[in-house]
């Protein structure tokens, strides 16, 4: 059995997956340029620092480390920035991934686990979005991920590259012992921002609109624990290794929570009230995004161990309390 290269292994999702792979006895290491990631997040795993667009370095790394599969998490992930600076998003998320895939071909590595997103669907046309939902992204970030999915399908047909795409809903939470967690700069995601408000690091949490067509008027999202996400990647690898078809799978909780429900849950976990300010809607936010992950359950045998919102927030809170400055 060869090793596993975790591209973007120093980032939020990559570092949790790297930890879980090693926990399961895989020989896994991180490849990261540390532009957004944190070297501390790889813990005691090896870190190859470099650019995925450096074809020679990637090819050499794949060969020297006898890599059997690449897990790819390295990407720019701010939807808003992708709208104002699409060039860097297409470069970083599409062109660089193409380089990585070609370095894999050159090194004879034929298995790819890809971090995709529900943003490839665009505006929802059904209540519980499944994998057959039409894919028509509404921002460049979603298009970059969609394009990589298309490239993978073509690489499968032409070169026999096997892949699993995992389309995440809202990744959240942290390692249960608080050793790694979410540290983005700037932070834009709801749960860490509510926690920052609870910690007094920001004056309040701004709720982007309370006039949506939902029970409490705030947007509903599908929050999924980072270790449950990570687990699905490993099951994706096993699926391919056992001869399973290349495919895309949703990863969500199936239970949507409104922005106000998230805030209330943080108040419960932390044990104190949080200042809330309702402001205008954020551009491009659908009222409700909830996934149907039945396919991952049936085909990959995936199940959630940290699924309820309270556990997600408790683990996030522990990380933020113990690492108030992040890594
Ligand atoms: N949100 C909010 N205030 C914030 C950040 C987010 O009200 O400061 C809302 C946002 O409009 C969305 C939900 O929280 O409905 C989740 O947003 P996040 O950015 O965490 O993830 P997204 O669903 O955009 O990927």
């Amino acid at each position: 059995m060869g090793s596993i290269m975790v591209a973007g292994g120093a980032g939020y999702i990559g570092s949790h997956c790297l930890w879980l792979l090693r926990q399961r006895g895989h020989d896994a290491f991180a490849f990261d340029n540390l532009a957004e990631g944190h070297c501390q997040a790889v813990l005691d795993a090896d870190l190859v620092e470099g650019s995925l667009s450096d074809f020679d370095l990637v090819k050499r790394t794949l060969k020297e480390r006898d890599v059997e599969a690449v897990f790819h998490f390295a990407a720019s992930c701010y939807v808003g920035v992708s709208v104002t600076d699409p060039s860097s998003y297409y470069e970083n998320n599409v062109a660089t991934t193409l380089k990585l895939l070609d370095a894999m071909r050159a090194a004879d590595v034929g298995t790819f686990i890809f971090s995709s997103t529900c943003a490839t669907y665009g505006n929802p046309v059904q209540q519980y979005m499944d994998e057959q939902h039409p894919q028509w992204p509404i921002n460049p970030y979603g298009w970059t991920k969609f394009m990589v999915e298309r490239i993978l399908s073509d690489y499968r047909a032409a070169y026999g590259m096997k892949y699993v795409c995992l389309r995440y809903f809202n990744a959240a939470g942290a390692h249960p012992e608080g050793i790694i967690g979410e540290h983005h700069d700037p932070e834009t995601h709801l749960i860490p921002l509510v926690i920052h408000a609870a910690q007094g690091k920001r004056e309040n949490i701004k709720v982007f609109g309370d006039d949506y067509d939902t029970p409490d008027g705030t947007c509903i999202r599908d929050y999924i624990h980072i270790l449950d996400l990570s687990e699905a990647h490993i099951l994706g690898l096993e699926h391919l290794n056992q001869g399973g078809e290349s495919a895309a799978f949703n990863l969500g909780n199936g239970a949507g929570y409104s922005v106000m429900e998230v805030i209330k849950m943080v108040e419960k976990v932390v044990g104190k009230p949080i200042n809330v300010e309702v402001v205008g809607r954020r551009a491009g936010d659908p009222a409700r995004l909830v996934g149907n992950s039945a396919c991952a359950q049936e085909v990959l045998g995936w199940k959630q161990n940290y699924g309820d919102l309270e556990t997600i927030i408790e683990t996030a809170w522990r990380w933020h309390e113990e690492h108030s400055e992040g890594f």
Side-chain angles (χ1 to χ4, degrees):
M1 200 173 71
S3 70
I4 293 172
M5 180 167 112
V6 182
Y12 171 45
I13 306 178
S15 62
H16 284 81
C17 198
L18 175 65
W19 176 83
L20 192 63
L21 277 164
R22 299 182 77 236
Q23 196 68 12
R24 295 286 160 76
H26 288 280
D27 174 12
F29 67 96
F31 189 108
D32 204 295
N33 63 4
L34 299 183
E36 315 243 342
H38 306 274
C39 58
Q40 301 93 322
V42 311
L43 301 172
D44 59 352
D46 284 352
L47 167 66
V48 177
E49 195 180 333
S51 166
L52 287 172
S53 59
D54 184 341
F55 181 90
D56 293 333
L57 172 66
V58 176
K59 182 180 161 193
R60 191 167 66 245
T61 304
L62 294 170
K63 278 187 171 292
E64 281 176 2
R65 291 183 175 254
D66 187 24
V67 170
E68 63 161 310
V70 173
F71 285 40
H72 183 36
F73 299 94
S76 304
C77 64
Y78 294 106
V79 168
V81 182
S82 81
V83 175
T84 53
D85 183 19
S87 166
S88 73
Y89 273 66
Y90 285 108
E91 176 70 36
N92 206 22
N93 294 3
V94 183
T96 299
T97 301
L98 202 54
K99 275 271 179 64
L100 166 62
L101 291 170
D102 288 334
M104 286 174 63
R105 287 173 57 214
D108 268 332
V109 180
T111 303
F112 195 71
I113 308 293
F114 179 56
S115 166
S116 188
T117 166
C118 67
T120 60
Y121 294 125
N123 281 324
V125 299
Q126 65 200 43
Q127 260 232 331
Y128 293 93
M129 304 162 84
D130 63 20
E131 290 83 356
Q132 273 66 54
H133 187 285
Q135 286 182 292
W136 192 260
I138 53 169
N139 51 60
Y141 168 71
W143 280 112
T144 65
K145 294 284 184 174
F146 175 76
M147 285 175 189
V148 173
E149 288 199 2
R150 295 305 319 157
I151 291 168
L152 287 171
S153 163
D154 293 340
Y155 272 43
R156 166 84 190 121
Y159 311 124
M161 188 167 284
K162 295 183 285 180
Y163 67 87
V164 161
C165 297
L166 296 159
R167 297 182 187 147
Y168 318 150
F169 284 73
N170 291 57
H175 187 286
E177 273 112 56
I179 53 174
I180 43 177
E182 186 168 13
H183 176 181
H184 292 117
D185 193 12
E187 187 54 77
T188 61
H189 294 109
L190 180 66
I191 292 178
L193 289 177
V194 180
I195 288 176
H196 288 169
Q199 289 175 314
K201 284 190 190 164
R202 48 189 295 133
E203 206 181 314
N204 59 27
I205 180 71
K206 295 192 171 29
V207 172
F208 298 147
D210 68 351
D211 55 353
Y212 285 94
D213 184 17
T214 59
D216 66 17
T218 64
C219 286
I220 293 177
R221 293 289 179 273
D222 182 343
Y223 298 90
I224 161 107
H225 194 276
I226 190 82
L227 283 184
D228 287 331
L229 275 188
S230 301
E231 182 75 54
H233 291 71
I234 297 176
L235 292 169
L237 175 69
E238 288 167 2
H239 165 78
L240 294 177
N241 285 346
Q242 286 158 9
E245 286 292 319
S246 295
F249 300 96
N250 281 346
L251 293 181
N253 206 329
Y257 296 98
S258 73
V259 173
M260 281 314 298
E261 283 173 318
V262 168
I263 295 171
K264 294 250 160 2
M265 185 58 83
V266 177
E267 287 181 329
K268 180 179 168 203
V269 167
V270 173
K272 62 178 175 198
I274 292 165
N275 290 332
V276 173
E277 183 191 353
V278 177
V279 297
R281 292 181 176 195
R282 186 173 68 177
D285 263 342
R288 194 172 186 284
L289 280 179
V290 182
N292 172 340
S293 305
C295 204
Q297 288 158 16
E298 282 158 24
V299 178
L300 302 180
W302 179 64
K303 60 178 177 21
Q304 297 178 71
N305 291 313
Y306 304 92
D308 63 297
L309 186 63
E310 188 160 4
T311 306
I312 290 174
I313 289 176
E314 272 169 2
T315 59
W317 172 247
R318 176 170 306 160
W319 155 257
H320 284 281
E321 271 298 87
E322 290 174 11
H323 299 80
S324 67
E325 302 305 318
F327 281 105

